[in-house]
């Protein structure tokens, strides 16, 4: 190895990150939860992210791509990539806004609504099982996660 002096990248720092990093711990929890929902939704041909996307379209008025991206904390490019397979399956429609043709609106197709109808009971039972398996106040946990997302988002925007 060279004569480089290592000040920060020590094994002690590795242990500190392992034990205290909010990003690592939220990613681990998110992956485990997503796997649980993926397994539950697999029989009807959906993944957890696809369910989240479809349920976000279940509104009285078709939302814009931008409003769905904001809700799901996704950039528009990633959202568009995730929409394409669902659109190819005929589960949603993408149309231009009546007032501004540059704005795209998203809506569930009849097939998408029927699939969502099948998915919701699966989501309910899986969600209840996860909530019942925790030893914490899940409402407080949701509040803390929303607060964390807000703080992280504000900090990220301030750094740009």
């Amino acid at each position: 190895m060279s004569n480089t002096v290592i000040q920060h990248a020590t094994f002690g720092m590795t242990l500190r990150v392992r034990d205290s990093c909010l990003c690592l711990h939220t990613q681990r929890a998110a992956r485990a939860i997503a796997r649980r929902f993926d397994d539950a939704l697999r029989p009807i041909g959906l993944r957890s992210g696809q369910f989240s996307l479809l349920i976000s379209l279940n509104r009285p008025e078709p939302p814009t791509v931008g409003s769905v991206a904001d809700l799901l904390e996704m950039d528009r490019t990633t959202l568009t990539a995730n929409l394409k397979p669902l659109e190819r399956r005929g589960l949603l429609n993408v149309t231009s806004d009546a007032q501004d043709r540059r704005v795209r609106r998203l809506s569930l197709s009849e097939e998408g609504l029927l699939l969502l109808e099948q998915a919701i009971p699966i989501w309910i039972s899986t969600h209840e099982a996860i909530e019942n398996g925790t030893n914490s106040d899940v409402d407080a946990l949701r509040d803390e996660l929303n607060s964390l997302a807000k703080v992280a988002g504000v900090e990220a925007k301030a750094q740009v």
Side-chain angles (χ1 to χ4, degrees):
M1 190 166 203
S2 69
N3 292 333
T4 303
V5 177
I6 303 298
Q7 293 179 335
H8 301 292
T10 64
F11 183 62
M13 181 54 73
T14 299
L15 297 176
R16 178 179 172 189
V17 169
R18 179 199 69 191
D19 296 341
S20 67
C21 180
L22 292 172
C23 184
L24 173 64
H25 288 269
T26 55
Q27 286 175 334
R28 287 178 63 199
R31 285 188 201 106
I33 293 167
R35 266 194 309 274
R36 179 87 174 258
F37 278 98
D38 286 346
D39 290 345
L41 293 165
R42 186 171 292 114
I44 61 167
L46 278 181
R47 293 188 311 270
S48 60
Q50 293 172 322
F51 173 83
S52 295
L53 209 162
L54 290 175
I55 198 78
S56 75
L57 304 183
N58 192 30
R59 306 182 194 187
E61 296 296 322
T64 64
V65 169
S67 69
V68 174
D70 290 344
L71 173 71
L72 298 176
E73 281 293 328
M74 285 182 158
D75 62 75
R76 290 178 187 188
T77 303
T78 302
L79 175 59
T80 300
N82 285 301
L83 289 170
K84 288 190 184 303
L86 298 173
E87 186 179 17
R88 280 193 299 269
R89 286 175 61 185
L91 301 176
L92 61 91
N93 302 305
V94 181
T95 57
S96 294
D97 182 75
Q99 278 71 41
D100 186 345
R101 306 296 289 168
R102 296 170 297 173
V103 175
R104 294 180 301 148
R105 294 204 171 264
L106 306 170
S107 60
L108 289 171
S109 66
E110 186 174 340
E111 293 84 3
L113 188 58
L114 290 173
L115 184 59
L116 200 54
E117 186 69 19
Q118 291 177 8
I120 289 171
I122 296 168
W123 177 87
I124 289 170
S125 64
T126 305
H127 191 266
E128 286 176 353
I130 292 170
E131 279 194 348
N132 292 335
T134 66
N135 295 329
S136 60
D137 178 349
V138 291
D139 290 326
L141 175 60
R142 270 187 287 277
D143 288 344
E144 288 297 320
L145 289 170
N146 286 328
S147 177
L148 185 59
K150 191 178 293 182
V151 168
V154 168
E155 292 296 318
K157 289 176 184 167
Q159 292 178 359
V160 173

